[in-house]
Amino acid sequence: MVLEGKILGNRYEIIQKIGNGGMAIVYKARDLTLNRYVAVKVLRDEFTTDEEFIKRFETEAQSAARLIHPNIVSIYDVGVDNNLTYYIVMELIQGKTLKEIIIQEQGPLPWKWSINVSIQIASALEMAHRNNIIHRDIKPHNIIITEDGVAKVTDFGIAKAVSNSTITAFGKTIGSVHYFSPEHARGGYTDAKSDIYSLGVVMYEMVTGRVPFDADTPVSIALKHMQEEPVEPQEINPNIPDAVNKIIMKALQKEPALRYQTATEMLQDLKMSLKDPSGDFVDQGGIDPTSATRKIDLDEYGNIQNKKTRNSENNKKENKLKKFIKNHKKLSIFIGLILLFIIAFGGTLGILNLTNPAEVQIPNLVGMSKEEAQADAEEAKLKFEIANEEYNAEVPEGFVISQDPKYIENYNVKEGSTITVVVSKGTEKTKVPNVEGKEEEEAIKLIEEAKLKAEVIEETSQTVEEGHVITQETDPDTEVSAGDTVKIHVSTGTGIKQVKVQNVVGQTEANAKAALEGQGLKVNVSYVDSTNNNGIVARQSVAEGTTVNEGTTVTLTVNKIAETKTIAVNINVKEITGGYEKETNTASNSSSTSSTTSKTVNIKVNNETRTGVDKNNSNYTITLSGKDGEAVSITVTITDPATNQTIYSSTQNATYGNQTSVTFQ
């Protein structure tokens, strides 16, 4: 279906196709309501009758539209046209896909640049996972790098809002098997950790220039994801730091429990790798997948005992104890005293333990979300307390900025101790003040009071007083992040030389023009017809003594006597009138021409009249005179002198000086 030139939903004018996806075709379009360019993703025709794909397509819009993040392509609208064309309207990104950049480089990308891109992708996944959305198709083709170097994750085409894991049938997913997690490849459960595996593959490809697993068929690649271990990136590219190598290998663990458990956890290590690329901070342990077990009571034959059976056996044991005490009273008293002593001694130890609790390693909570930090603190049997919340441009909202006591390796505190943390409120927002027209010093003060930085750009102005703000590049009342820079343009005065115009009337054109241009003025010349003073300035557009800016244009009116030119009007009378036959006198055996009036005509050219013109004249000429360049309309009229009737009349246009003759025939 050709959509170029059509309008979807009475709003989006399709301009051109810019990409293809597994489910849809992407077009560049113009939003006629908001007058902006957007990207419109249109479901392929073959899927419009497939209810499963329609549902998946709608899920994409509903899930992705909830994600507002600088590293996620924004969703503006979703709809269906009258002809059952399903579409999603998205932010139009100017840039290249990460895959295009990798192919263009034909080798490894710089590891620092790769880590910065990975941090942005992980940040986008962190936001999605918090909203219970997994992407399930992370690959370089779905990551656009803008012209400013910002990574944008797009195509949540098979994302699905979930409360737990989801199952994907292998072969029904849309995406590249090169980036599948092992559980995805085998059609098992996929969750946030599957996205982390795919991000690990993307990182591997960025720093090595190739994917970890490749083969001739998709099935072979999937089997490698499930069965083979990848070659470590450092073996392919020795320039990769140790920390980066460990982060990638941890993300590529086949067992989900051994990978990063959250995008936040991976994000922390990625940021740390930029600060300490050779550091040994990547935890290679993970969670033992076999540890999540429960206690089950078995009988002597290995069968699971139910509650009723256990209660019955407990009753039997209780009856045997009563019978023993009855038959052995003295022994029972002795055993009782010993037990009493043990209980008393144990109670003393318990009191000592309460007054002198055990020591535990203080956890590192910085960089965690406050929920994760509280869970870690309580797991270490410590109390968790938020001491303060403050704005921080580097730490996302809801994450721990600092803790007290600080984390130090092998530093222990008593169980039950309190860890206080400072939690980030995210980037502080502020409004830009209106400083146009204000003095520079006052403008800078107002901008700094709004927790912003001022950058002064000086420029000349003929309307704004020196030292005052001409314009500001960010509109007043615009909400921006604290610490942003507001550029203001401050007047340095006119900065243009002023000149007094001199009188050049009466001078020759050349002298007048040289005099004014010598003052730094521009000269424009126009001419007026005159009968005298040829080439002399008659008027000037700016009066003598007027002060103007250097570079002002002055128009001079110069007298010009037009030259007289002529046009020869050539008339082929014979051809126009048909001429006449000459008569022969047979009596005298000689020729003579008849002199009857029918052999002549009268000719009028404009105001010039000629009578008695011979009809056999084939080149009769009348000369007209006029000013050079003057247009003239030439009318030739021929009449019969006997009857005064018009035989011929014709008109031609000409210009004196451009033409020297015209011919009528």
Side-chain angles (χ1 to χ4, degrees):
M1 178 173 59
V2 178
L3 290 180
E4 284 86 346
K6 295 187 177 180
I7 297 176
L8 292 181
N10 296 319
R11 177 170 178 176
Y12 305 105
E13 181 184 8
I14 304 299
I15 297 174
Q16 65 183 49
K17 183 169 74 172
I18 57 176
N20 286 298
M23 287 166 45
I25 301 172
V26 185
Y27 295 90
K28 179 182 179 180
R30 187 164 67 92
D31 184 339
L32 300 178
T33 301
L34 299 179
N35 193 24
R36 65 179 177 184
Y37 290 106
V38 295
V40 177
K41 180 179 290 185
V42 178
L43 186 63
R44 291 181 179 275
D45 289 343
E46 58 264 34
F47 298 137
T48 55
T49 57
D50 190 321
E51 293 183 3
E52 180 182 350
F53 272 86
I54 293 296
K55 185 176 180 181
R56 187 177 297 174
F57 191 74
E58 291 173 344
T59 299
E60 170 182 359
Q62 294 167 1
S63 59
R66 300 203 311 267
L67 303 178
I68 308 299
H69 191 276
N71 299 117
I72 297 177
V73 175
S74 299
I75 300 294
Y76 296 145
D77 192 11
V78 59
V80 56
D81 205 39
N82 294 333
N83 57 356
L84 294 181
T85 301
Y86 292 84
Y87 63 88
I88 293 174
V89 183
M90 304 178 296
E91 173 186 9
L92 180 64
I93 307 297
Q94 299 295 332
K96 296 181 179 179
T97 67
L98 181 56
K99 189 66 177 179
E100 288 173 335
I101 294 173
I102 292 171
I103 293 172
Q104 181 179 330
E105 288 298 318
Q106 297 182 342
L109 300 174
W111 72 266
K112 283 188 178 180
W113 186 89
S114 301
I115 292 299
N116 278 315
V117 170
S118 301
I119 287 172
Q120 295 180 68
I121 300 170
S123 180
L125 290 177
E126 181 184 47
M127 168 62 73
H129 296 167
R130 282 188 195 171
N131 286 274
N132 293 326
I133 297 169
I134 55 175
H135 191 291
R136 300 200 299 178
D137 197 16
I138 291 294
K139 57 184 179 181
H141 315 66
N142 287 337
I143 298 157
I144 302 174
I145 308 299
T146 70
E147 295 171 348
D148 298 329
V150 178
K152 294 267 190 177
V153 180
T154 185
D155 195 10
F156 279 76
I158 50 175
K160 190 175 182 181
V162 291
S163 56
N164 294 309
S165 301
T166 62
I167 300 177
T168 301
F170 180 68
K172 292 185 179 180
T173 54
I174 297 171
S176 174
V177 72
H178 288 95
Y179 306 93
F180 277 3
S181 64
E183 61 272 20
H184 198 171
R186 72 171 67 95
Y189 286 91
T190 57
D191 58 10
K193 291 184 284 295
S194 301
D195 281 349
I196 290 172
Y197 182 94
S198 297
L199 176 53
V201 178
V202 172
M203 289 181 64
Y204 191 105
E205 187 175 8
M206 281 195 288
V207 298
T208 66
R210 68 191 197 193
V211 290
F213 301 112
D214 200 5
D216 294 333
T217 65
V219 173
S220 300
I221 298 170
L223 289 172
K224 287 188 176 185
H225 277 293
M226 292 185 284
Q227 298 172 359
E228 296 184 12
E229 293 297 327
V231 176
E232 292 201 12
Q234 268 185 337
E235 294 184 25
I236 302 171
N237 181 5
N239 296 322
I240 300 171
D242 291 341
V244 175
N245 189 74
K246 290 177 181 177
I247 291 171
I248 295 173
M249 292 306 294
K250 181 171 182 177
L252 291 179
Q253 288 289 332
K254 300 198 181 300
E255 175 55 56
L258 297 178
R259 296 176 206 149
Y260 289 103
Q261 299 302 293
T262 63
T264 303
E265 184 182 334
M266 186 174 184
L267 197 55
Q268 291 170 2
D269 279 1
L270 286 169
K271 290 178 179 178
M272 182 62 73
S273 68
L274 290 176
K275 299 177 183 177
D276 186 12
S278 300
D280 188 20
F281 52 84
V282 179
D283 182 6
Q284 299 292 333
I287 299 173
D288 184 356
T290 64
S291 62
T293 57
R294 63 187 179 90
K295 184 178 179 181
I296 300 175
D297 293 316
L298 303 177
D299 60 18
E300 58 183 320
Y301 301 103
N303 298 317
I304 298 175
Q305 296 187 87
N306 57 33
K307 186 176 180 181
K308 184 176 179 181
T309 304
R310 291 197 301 271
N311 289 340
S312 175
E313 291 184 356
N314 288 339
N315 290 335
K316 290 180 181 179
K317 290 178 181 178
E318 187 179 346
N319 292 333
K320 288 181 179 179
L321 179 61
K322 289 180 180 179
K323 187 175 181 181
F324 176 82
I325 294 173
K326 186 176 181 180
N327 295 332
H328 303 84
K329 289 183 179 180
K330 290 183 180 180
L331 181 59
S332 298
I333 292 171
F334 178 72
I335 294 172
L337 291 173
I338 293 174
L339 289 173
L340 219 77
F341 173 77
I342 293 172
I343 292 171
F345 183 72
T348 303
L349 289 177
I351 293 170
L352 290 174
N353 285 334
L354 288 174
T355 56
N356 188 26
E359 292 187 345
V360 293
Q361 163 70 49
I362 189 167
N364 184 9
L365 307 181
V366 175
M368 292 185 176
S369 68
K370 59 185 177 183
E371 294 80 10
E372 291 174 325
Q374 183 173 357
D376 274 22
E378 291 175 352
E379 185 179 350
K381 298 182 179 179
L382 300 171
K383 296 177 182 178
F384 178 81
E385 183 179 306
I386 298 176
N388 190 22
E389 292 187 1
E390 60 185 46
Y391 291 106
N392 191 297
E394 296 181 357
V395 180
E397 182 180 357
F399 282 70
V400 176
I401 301 172
S402 62
Q403 68 180 66
D404 185 28
K406 294 182 179 179
Y407 168 77
I408 301 174
E409 192 173 355
N410 298 324
Y411 175 65
N412 295 332
V413 294
K414 301 290 185 182
E415 284 185 0
S417 299
T418 300
I419 295 183
T420 59
V421 298
V422 176
V423 176
S424 172
K425 292 164 66 175
T427 302
E428 183 178 5
K429 297 295 182 181
T430 184
K431 287 189 176 181
V432 177
N434 185 0
V435 297
E436 289 187 7
K438 299 188 182 297
E439 290 186 349
E440 178 181 345
E441 186 176 341
E442 181 186 0
I444 293 173
K445 182 180 178 183
L446 288 172
I447 290 171
E448 290 177 347
E449 285 177 352
K451 300 182 179 180
L452 298 167
K453 298 175 184 176
E455 180 180 335
V456 176
I457 301 171
E458 294 183 342
E459 63 180 56
T460 60
S461 173
Q462 298 182 51
T463 57
V464 178
E465 184 181 351
E466 181 179 358
H468 287 67
V469 177
I470 305 169
T471 58
Q472 59 188 84
E473 293 193 8
T474 308
D475 292 335
D477 295 326
T478 301
E479 188 176 70
V480 296
S481 300
D484 283 358
T485 298
V486 177
K487 295 181 179 180
I488 57 174
H489 295 248
V490 177
S491 172
T492 59
T494 61
I496 301 174
K497 184 180 178 181
Q498 304 285 297
V499 295
K500 282 189 178 182
V501 179
Q502 60 179 295
N503 182 22
V504 293
V505 174
Q507 297 184 26
T508 64
E509 176 186 341
N511 290 343
K513 189 173 181 181
L516 293 176
E517 288 179 344
Q519 289 186 283
L521 300 171
K522 296 178 181 178
V523 179
N524 182 42
V525 179
S526 64
Y527 298 95
V528 62
D529 290 340
S530 176
T531 58
N532 54 22
N533 296 327
N534 189 41
I536 302 300
V537 176
R539 294 185 298 277
Q540 62 187 70
S541 62
V542 182
E544 175 189 4
T546 304
T547 300
V548 296
N549 292 333
E550 190 177 49
T552 300
T553 298
V554 178
T555 300
L556 302 179
T557 303
V558 178
N559 292 326
K560 185 176 182 181
I561 299 174
E563 293 182 48
T564 300
K565 298 290 183 179
T566 60
I567 295 178
V569 181
N570 300 317
I571 306 167
N572 191 337
V573 181
K574 183 177 181 179
E575 185 172 334
I576 293 171
T577 64
Y580 61 88
E581 294 286 339
K582 290 183 179 181
E583 297 179 355
T584 303
N585 190 334
T586 56
S588 61
N589 200 24
S590 62
S591 298
S592 66
T593 303
S594 174
S595 59
T596 62
T597 57
S598 61
K599 294 178 181 179
T600 63
V601 291
N602 295 334
I603 298 176
K604 184 179 181 181
V605 178
N606 289 2
N607 296 323
E608 299 285 334
T609 303
R610 301 287 188 272
T611 59
V613 179
D614 191 344
K615 283 185 178 181
N616 280 340
N617 194 330
S618 60
N619 189 23
Y620 187 79
T621 301
I622 296 176
T623 302
L624 301 180
S625 299
K627 295 178 182 179
D628 186 18
E630 180 183 3
V632 61
S633 180
I634 303 172
T635 301
V636 173
T637 305
I638 301 176
T639 58
D640 186 336
T643 63
N644 203 29
Q645 290 184 343
T646 300
I647 300 172
Y648 172 83
S649 181
S650 179
T651 300
Q652 291 189 43
N653 295 321
T655 303
Y656 289 109
N658 289 351
Q659 294 162 272
T660 58
S661 66
V662 293
T663 299
F664 291 83
Q665 57 187 16

